Each structure stands twice: as structure tokens, then as C-alpha cells.
Amino acid sequence: QVQLTESAGGWVQPGGSLTLSCAVSGRASSTWTMAWFRQAPGKEREFVAAIRRNDGHPRYADSVKGRFTISRDNVKNTMALQMNSLKPEDTAIYYCAWTSRSWITGYMGRQEGYDYWGQGTQVTVSS
């Protein structure tokens, strides 16, 4: 069993920055892929960013490229999402996800590729 614990989100003004983190506990794995998804009110959950443990290869949704940076710490077993230049449309509940599989780039953004999910953390961007 794997537990994912997300850091608290928060409120930030447009143009501001916020960092989310996700800590993994439970089952150990030499390989994994972790991701962030988000769900805005009235919308379906969508992919934000993902990263592989072994090589740190990232993948980003087009909507966040150049603004968000995903990283991982293999020693601490954590993942972080640095969000810059935040926009009101980034407002959503952000979910951390994990799988022991090391996905190819094309599959990193697919929700069905992840086996464990965090509870979600609210990020609100408004003035």
C-alpha cells in the first residue's frame, strides 16, 4: 500500500507563485512515475505534470509549460510542483498520483496509468 500526502495549497494573487509537495510512504519501489492532476469546479480532472524517478524526465500539459516545474527527491521520496505566474484558470484542487511503473512519455499524462492518489489540495488564484 502507498500513501500520498500533499502539502497544503492556498490562495495566491494572479502572477504569484506557490509550491506544492507530495510525500510518498508505504511500499518501496525502485521505479515510479508521479504526477499532478487538477480539477476545477465544474470540469473534469486534467493532467498537469509528471516525472519519472529514474531519470527525472518530466512531462507538462501545454497549459502550464514554462510556468510550472516538477521535481523529485529520490532520497526523501517526495515530489514538488513549483507554480509560477499563476493565473485564475489555475484555480483547482490539485491531486498527487503515483504508480510503480516507469511510463513512457506518451503515457505519463493518462489518469488510468496511476494506482494511488492523494486527497487533493485546493489552490485558489484570485485578486
Side-chain angles (χ1 to χ4, degrees):
Q1 194 75 347
V2 171
Q3 292 80 42
L4 303 178
T5 304
E6 295 138 339
S7 61
W11 171 83
V12 63
Q13 292 186 331
S17 298
L18 191 65
T19 300
L20 301 178
S21 65
C22 179
V24 184
S25 60
R27 192 181 96 193
S29 178
S30 60
T31 64
W32 48 251
T33 305
M34 291 185 71
W36 291 97
F37 290 81
R38 66 186 182 187
Q39 186 167 20
K43 295 187 177 181
E44 294 187 352
R45 190 160 58 184
E46 64 176 6
F47 170 70
V48 177
I51 191 166
R52 291 195 297 243
R53 179 189 188 279
N54 288 356
D55 57 7
H57 174 70
R59 182 183 175 188
Y60 297 95
D62 289 343
S63 59
V64 306
K65 277 181 183 176
R67 300 188 299 123
F68 290 12
T69 302
I70 192 170
S71 62
R72 92 276 192 234
D73 186 323
N74 290 344
V75 175
K76 295 181 179 179
N77 229 15
T78 58
M79 171 184 68
L81 184 69
Q82 172 69 43
M83 305 183 289
N84 298 325
S85 302
L86 282 161
K87 305 174 181 180
E89 50 264 44
D90 294 318
T91 295
I93 299 174
Y94 283 71
Y95 297 91
C96 171
W98 184 96
T99 177
S100 62
R101 290 161 286 191
S102 188
W103 286 131
I104 59 173
T105 302
Y107 209 77
M108 292 171 76
R110 301 180 69 165
Q111 297 188 47
E112 62 268 29
Y114 296 89
D115 305 305
Y116 295 93
W117 293 79
Q119 293 296 311
T121 186
Q122 177 71 48
V123 173
T124 302
V125 184
S126 72
S127 53

